[in-house]
């Protein structure tokens, strides 16, 4: 699904990720644990080049995302990302938050297809191998209607369809984060990345968000989740990574990692958090 | 509070006008609304009977055309310039664009608008062998000038939007420009709306220099009335009143827009 190869990330002189290699298969649920400042977020953000790697490669569907030539925006459509601070668009309603990207991107695609068709229409008579016309049948109305239908389906699944027209500032933290997850899901991603999705929440709201992620896990979604919820990692993850000083210090199934930690720093870390 | 201040200002000016009118009347005949040679009558004769108001309306139209189109051009230009200036600068093109933008902003913020008008109309236009009406040149110069100021305002507005908003947009696959256009800039505009309102107000007031290139505006119209009636007090007070009314109207409009845009901030659930 995604493969990181010899990834190094420096901020100035500070080496945050140090020659990290990692391969994640389809259907895996990887929990990333580690101390604060160890590079967990940076690792996650490098997977979609939200931070540009200093060196190394990230392969997703056979393409190296670290390569400048590759259109990172196309890859990001298929990789959902959920942030600690939710980052809902505060000037948009819940419904608009979910439909904004699908609608904008499909409209942009439509426009690009029309442009290409126009060019092909002009040049095709001169060509031996005529290029096919791209489909441009859908109207803006249809695109919007379909995006809204998808959004309402998702909102119904999390029981928040009555909040469709509410603005984010009127929602609780737990509701915001669930909307943020649903917003990512509306793009039909193949991989979901979560960066401490419950760390900014009041304790009583952690449950509802973890519950949604668990349901997502049960549906077979491939995911990487940075978390401090050790119990959740143990129950839901198929594999746990311990990140320390910019390296993956331990990489094992949860039972093994939590019950028989090998790395002394991991043993120390677990003693502190468990 | 601000509304009271605005009403207070208008009231003071009206009082000043009335005092002026009464004293003018008094000096002439001692009777309010009587006498044939009062300053008011002289003003009214030119203003109404000789069609001075038509000139004023024409001047007002030009003033508003220059201010409105100037601001519109300024907002588009300023937003583009601001977007260039906050762009990541790894590549050569953004760096070059940034250089051009900073020269542009430096020039238009560094020189008085009268100088820009004179340079545009009397130097640049003849040099290019072009011949446009002065009004168009005024609109262009005010647009360019306003663009420089709006770009600085907008840059501040963009910086005030949480970086997470851009990141969330990019993470969904939107391009930098799409995320800027649909996510960051709308929020930036909301933040800077009061400042943009002020920019519009100063634009309206600054249009009073367009007579330097021979454009008819409110000032030219009232000045002509004054010259014809050998009396400047009433026309100039009337001119001040028109400016105040314009500014008050713009202030009210901005207030209204702010309130509409603030909907997403209010902590009420939607039903
Ligand atoms: N944009 C940045 N600029 C400079 N330093 C950064 C930046 N982002 C992260 N860092 C540094 O990189 C280190 C790892 O950060 P991060 O990946 O956020 O850690 P974690 O998520 O494990 O707490 C920290 O020391 C942090 O200060
Ligand atoms: Mg972090």
């Amino acid at each position: 699904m995604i493969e990181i190869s010899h990834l190094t990330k420096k901020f100035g002189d500070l080496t945050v990720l140090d020659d990290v290699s990692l391969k994640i298969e389809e259907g895996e649920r990887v929990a990333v644990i580690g101390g604060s400042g160890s590079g967990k977020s940076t690792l996650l953000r490098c997977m979609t080049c939200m931070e540009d790697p200093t060196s190394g490669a990230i392969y997703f569907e056979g393409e190296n995302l670290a390569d400048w030539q590759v259109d990172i925006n196309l890859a990001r459509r298929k990789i959902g990302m959920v942030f600690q601070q939710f980052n809902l668009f505060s000037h948009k309603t819940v419904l608009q938050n979910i439909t904004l990207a699908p609608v904008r991107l499909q409209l942009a695609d439509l426009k690009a297809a029309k442009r290409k068709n126009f060019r092909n229409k002009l040049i095709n008579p001169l060509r031996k191998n005529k290029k096919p016309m791209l489909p441009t049948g859908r109207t803006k109305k249809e695109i919007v209607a379909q995006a809204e239908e998808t959004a309402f389906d998702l909102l119904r699944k999390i029981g928040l369809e009555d909040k469709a027209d509410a603005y984010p500032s009127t929602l609780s933290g737990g509701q915001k984060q669930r909307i943020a997850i649903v917003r990512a899901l509306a793009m039909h991603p193949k991989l979901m990345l979560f960066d401490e999705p419950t760390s900014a929440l009041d304790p009583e709201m952690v449950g509802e968000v973890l519950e949604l992620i668990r349901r997502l896990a049960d549906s077979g979604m491939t995911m990487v989740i940075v978390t401090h919820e050790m119990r959740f990692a143990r129950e839901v993850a198929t594999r746990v990574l311990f990140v320390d000083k910019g390296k993956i210090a331990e990489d094992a199934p949860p039972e093994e990692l939590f019950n028989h930690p090998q790395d002394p720093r991991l043993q120390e870390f677990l003693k502190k958090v468990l | 509070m601000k509304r009271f201040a605005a009403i207070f200002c208008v009231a003071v000016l009206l009082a000043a006008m009335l005092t002026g009118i009464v004293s003018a009347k008094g000096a002439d005949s001692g009777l309010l609304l009587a006498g044939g040679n009062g300053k008011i009558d002289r003003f009214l004769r030119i203003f109404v009977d000789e069609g001075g108001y038509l000139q004023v309306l024409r001047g007002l139209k030009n003033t508003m055309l220059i201010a409105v189109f100037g601001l519109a051009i300024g907002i588009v230009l300023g937003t583009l310039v601001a977007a260039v200036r906050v762009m990541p600068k790894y590549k050569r093109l953004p760096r070059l664009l940034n250089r051009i933008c900073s020269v542009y902003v430096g020039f238009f913020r560094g020189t008085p608008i009268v100088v820009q008008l004179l340079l545009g109309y009397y130097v640049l236009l003849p040099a290019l062998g072009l011949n446009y009406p002065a009004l168009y040149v005024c609109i262009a110069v005010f647009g360019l000038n306003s663009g420089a100021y709006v770009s600085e305002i907008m840059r501040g507005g963009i910086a005030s939007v949480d970086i997470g908003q851009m990141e969330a947009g990019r993470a969904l696959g939107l391009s930098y420009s799409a995320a800027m256009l649909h996510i960051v800039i709308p929020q930036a505009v909301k933040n800077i709306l009061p400042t943009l309102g002020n920019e519009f107000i100063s634009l309206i007031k600054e249009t009073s220099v367009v007579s330097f290139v021979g454009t008819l505006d409110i000032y030219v119209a009232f000045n002509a009335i004054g010259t014809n009636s050998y009396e400047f007090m009433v026309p100039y007070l009337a001119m001040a009143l028109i400016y105040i009314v314009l500014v008050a109207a713009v202030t009210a409009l901005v207030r209204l827009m702010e309130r509409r845009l603030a909907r997403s901030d209010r902590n009420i659930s939607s039903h």
Side-chain angles (χ1 to χ4, degrees):
Chain A
M1 168 111 322
I2 193 162
E3 182 175 354
I4 295 169
S5 159
H6 299 290
L7 172 66
T8 296
K9 174 67 187 176
K10 295 183 183 174
F11 288 112
D13 289 337
L14 180 70
T15 303
V16 178
L17 293 177
D18 185 7
D19 193 26
V20 171
S21 293
L22 169 70
K23 188 171 184 182
I24 296 170
E25 301 294 346
E26 197 168 339
E28 276 194 295
R29 299 187 290 276
V30 181
V32 181
I33 62 172
S36 153
S38 56
K40 306 181 298 294
S41 296
T42 307
L43 174 63
L44 205 68
R45 290 163 59 82
C46 278
M47 288 186 191
T48 56
C49 294
M50 298 298 285
E51 303 289 355
D52 288 312
T54 307
S55 66
I58 296 131
Y59 295 100
F60 177 73
E61 298 191 329
E63 280 185 310
N64 179 6
L65 304 186
D67 185 347
W68 282 89
Q69 317 280 355
V70 172
D71 185 356
I72 188 68
N73 294 327
L74 284 179
R76 284 181 183 154
R77 292 188 194 191
K78 299 174 201 156
I79 305 179
M81 187 148 193
V82 174
F83 303 85
Q84 184 175 342
Q85 299 298 336
F86 329 130
N87 295 345
L88 290 182
F89 307 134
S90 46
H91 63 309
K92 299 280 182 193
T93 64
V94 165
L95 184 67
Q96 290 167 338
N97 259 277
I98 302 171
T99 58
L100 188 144
V103 169
R104 287 293 158 204
L105 291 170
Q106 285 178 80
L107 287 180
D109 289 350
L110 191 65
K111 215 160 135 193
K114 280 184 180 159
R115 209 164 37 225
K116 227 175 245 170
N117 280 352
F118 179 72
R119 201 166 15 175
N120 283 342
K121 209 188 274 173
L122 288 182
I123 305 176
N124 264 353
L126 310 173
R127 281 191 180 120
K128 263 209 196 95
N129 302 329
K130 310 225 178 294
K131 292 215 173 149
M133 289 290 158
L134 301 162
T136 55
R138 300 177 71 206
T139 63
K140 180 174 179 179
K141 234 184 203 164
E142 286 164 354
I143 288 173
V144 172
Q146 199 225 324
E148 291 190 347
E149 199 184 306
T150 308
F152 271 111
D153 278 347
L154 288 163
L155 282 174
R156 253 190 299 278
K157 278 188 190 146
I158 58 171
L160 288 178
E161 68 267 41
D162 59 323
K163 295 289 186 194
D165 295 323
Y167 283 95
S169 60
T170 66
L171 304 175
S172 74
Q175 290 172 332
K176 280 185 205 169
Q177 192 61 300
R178 286 188 291 145
I179 302 287
I181 293 171
V182 155
R183 176 175 70 178
L185 292 178
M187 294 295 298
H188 307 295
K190 301 212 163 100
L191 170 67
M192 285 286 288
L193 309 176
F194 296 86
D195 191 359
E196 300 194 30
T198 58
S199 293
L201 295 175
D202 291 335
E204 75 267 24
M205 290 169 186
V206 170
E208 63 188 77
V209 172
L210 291 184
E211 179 52 37
L212 175 58
I213 299 174
R214 197 188 300 259
R215 265 163 56 196
L216 204 57
D218 291 342
S219 75
M221 176 68 79
T222 310
M223 54 174 74
V224 182
I225 173 165
V226 176
T227 187
H228 291 297
E229 301 285 333
M230 295 302 153
R231 220 179 55 144
F232 180 78
R234 193 174 212 149
E235 289 167 9
V236 173
T238 57
R239 178 177 172 193
V240 183
L241 308 180
F242 173 63
V243 176
D244 184 49
K245 291 187 187 151
K247 286 190 176 290
I248 297 177
E250 195 143 338
D251 175 355
E255 293 310 315
E256 204 178 311
L257 185 133
F258 285 113
N259 295 339
H260 312 287
Q262 305 293 314
D263 186 272
R265 308 245 333 160
L266 172 59
Q267 293 166 357
E268 204 179 309
F269 176 77
L270 288 178
K271 222 179 281 170
K272 259 187 270 173
V273 297
L274 287 182
Chain B
M1 269 327 281
K2 279 190 191 146
R3 176 177 302 176
F4 283 121
I7 291 171
F8 179 73
C9 288
V10 174
V12 168
L13 213 94
L14 280 174
M17 281 192 71
L18 277 176
T19 325
I21 291 162
V22 171
S23 66
K25 282 282 184 189
D28 285 329
S29 62
L31 274 169
L32 206 62
L33 297 176
N37 287 326
K39 290 184 176 184
I40 281 277
D41 297 302
R42 271 193 273 163
F43 170 71
L44 286 180
R45 202 184 68 235
I46 308 281
F47 187 72
V48 182
D49 303 340
E50 294 184 16
Y53 70 94
L54 287 174
Q55 283 293 86
V56 169
L57 283 181
R58 242 171 269 146
L60 186 63
K61 193 183 89 184
N62 283 350
T63 295
M64 289 316 285
L65 277 178
I66 295 166
V68 169
F69 283 102
L71 185 73
I73 296 171
I75 287 177
V76 172
L77 212 56
T79 307
L80 286 175
V81 171
V84 166
R85 303 200 85 183
V86 299
M87 217 186 257
K89 296 180 185 61
Y90 313 120
K91 297 187 198 163
R92 200 170 302 152
L93 183 66
R95 251 183 271 157
L96 178 69
L97 287 175
N98 193 48
R99 189 81 46 84
I100 294 170
C101 287
S102 59
V103 169
Y104 157 70
V105 172
F107 174 76
F108 279 93
R109 293 196 355 142
T111 53
I113 193 151
V114 186
V115 173
Q116 295 158 18
L117 268 179
L118 295 175
L119 281 177
Y121 192 65
Y122 292 117
V123 179
L124 187 62
L125 227 52
L128 295 175
L130 297 170
N131 188 16
Y132 288 122
L135 178 66
Y136 293 177
V137 177
C138 288
I139 290 176
V141 169
F142 272 81
L144 285 166
N145 179 281
S146 169
Y149 284 93
V150 172
S151 78
E152 291 293 294
I153 298 171
M154 190 65 80
R155 191 155 73 147
I158 290 172
S160 74
V161 176
D162 178 21
I163 183 83
Q165 297 282 310
M166 172 59 101
E167 287 194 343
R170 296 303 310 271
L172 286 163
L174 295 173
S175 64
Y176 175 84
S177 50
M180 207 59 182
L181 186 64
H182 299 295
I183 296 163
V184 178
I185 285 175
Q187 296 183 57
V189 168
K190 199 170 99 177
N191 293 347
I192 63 172
L193 202 66
T195 325
L196 274 185
N198 286 340
E199 169 66 15
F200 189 37
I201 286 168
S202 49
L203 219 50
I204 290 177
K205 292 186 292 190
E206 275 172 7
T207 54
S208 56
V209 300
V210 296
S211 57
F212 274 81
V213 294
T215 304
L216 169 69
D217 72 335
I218 318 182
Y219 160 71
V220 175
F222 279 110
N223 201 47
I225 293 175
T227 310
N228 286 343
S229 62
Y230 309 107
E231 200 288 298
F232 286 91
M233 188 183 71
V234 182
Y236 282 178
L237 280 173
M239 176 166 69
L241 185 70
I242 290 187
Y243 275 118
I244 285 205
V245 169
L246 282 181
V247 169
V250 172
T251 310
L253 206 72
V254 171
R255 205 59 51 73
L256 197 78
M257 279 165 68
E258 270 181 286
R259 214 169 309 145
R260 289 205 53 187
L261 284 173
R263 267 183 319 186
S264 54
D265 289 337
R266 238 175 282 159
N267 252 350
I268 42 155
S269 63
S270 72
H271 285 295

